[in-house]
Amino acid sequence: AYTALFDAVVSEIRSVADPNHRLKFQGLALVGHGERKTWWTEFLTHQNHIASTVDAINSASFHFYTLPQHRTDNSTWSYTMFETVDVFRDEVRRIVALRDKLSPNTELSVDELGVLLPHDNQIWAAIPSDLYFNGANGVFTYVYAMLSEYGIDVAGCSQLAGMPVIPEWQIY
């Protein structure tokens, strides 16, 4: 299903704007990748694509957000922020192994990486302590180091501060 849609989009773009196949394409952009192993297998298996789009399996992406259980109780953050990274490490290992087996030239990208506190983006949410930023930066450092260990090609930050406007912090 997804692979057929990817192939259709690639084919259409190429017919209109890229007859020489110079554009690069990225597929998937999955969250919840642990339970979506079949999506990875389907997308990375070249035989599942139409012949004219196999060369467009340039990159595949996925997301990771750590989800601390408490917004303002920072005594739990060191556990809840980092425990999920260790689970994510196992998922990254599986994704890299699938890519290496099925489509070794496909780049991998974690194009959304962040820390989401409960009720982020709600105007009424309590402002977390300044320690939140230390914890979030620790998570980013830990995750970026781990991703480089597995040869992930691109890692992008999202949601360093996924919260409402906080003028006193100059977040608008």
Side-chain angles (χ1 to χ4, degrees):
Y2 174 82
T3 300
L5 293 173
F6 176 87
D7 290 349
V9 168
V10 168
S11 296
E12 188 62 26
I13 289 171
R14 285 180 166 173
S15 74
V16 173
D18 188 33
N20 297 320
H21 297 200
R22 291 190 305 221
L23 293 177
K24 300 275 185 180
F25 293 89
Q26 184 174 70
L28 295 180
L30 293 177
V31 67
H33 23 82
E35 65 267 9
R36 298 190 194 270
K37 182 180 176 185
T38 58
W39 285 55
W40 283 100
T41 302
E42 178 190 337
F43 182 73
L44 293 173
T45 301
H46 291 198
Q47 294 84 350
N48 292 337
H49 292 268
I50 58 175
S52 63
T53 65
V54 168
D55 66 332
I57 311 171
N58 306 120
S59 178
S61 69
F62 51 110
H63 312 316
F64 171 71
Y65 292 98
T66 187
L67 307 166
Q69 296 173 355
H70 300 282
R71 182 171 191 79
T72 55
D73 180 4
N74 58 27
S75 69
T76 65
W77 290 349
S78 63
Y79 300 105
T80 57
M81 283 186 178
F82 290 92
E83 280 179 346
T84 55
V85 175
D86 292 332
V87 172
F88 180 57
R89 174 188 294 275
D90 292 337
E91 293 173 0
V92 170
R93 186 181 299 121
R94 285 190 297 273
I95 290 167
V96 168
L98 277 171
R99 185 275 315 267
D100 290 349
K101 177 182 175 187
L102 301 172
S103 190
N105 294 325
T106 299
E107 292 182 354
L108 293 175
S109 167
V110 179
D111 57 2
E112 287 187 30
L113 168 63
V115 178
L116 294 176
L117 293 174
H119 311 296
D120 269 358
N121 299 317
Q122 301 295 323
I123 194 71
W124 50 265
I127 297 173
S129 74
D130 291 344
L131 191 57
Y132 163 79
F133 291 100
N134 295 56
N137 286 324
V139 167
F140 288 121
T141 302
Y142 186 46
V143 171
Y144 282 117
M146 180 265 295
L147 294 174
S148 69
E149 182 182 324
Y150 287 101
I152 300 300
D153 300 286
V154 177
C157 174
S158 173
Q159 297 301 91
L160 175 61
M163 54 189 66
V165 172
I166 304 174
E168 59 268 30
W169 289 0
Q170 298 178 342
I171 296 174
Y172 300 98

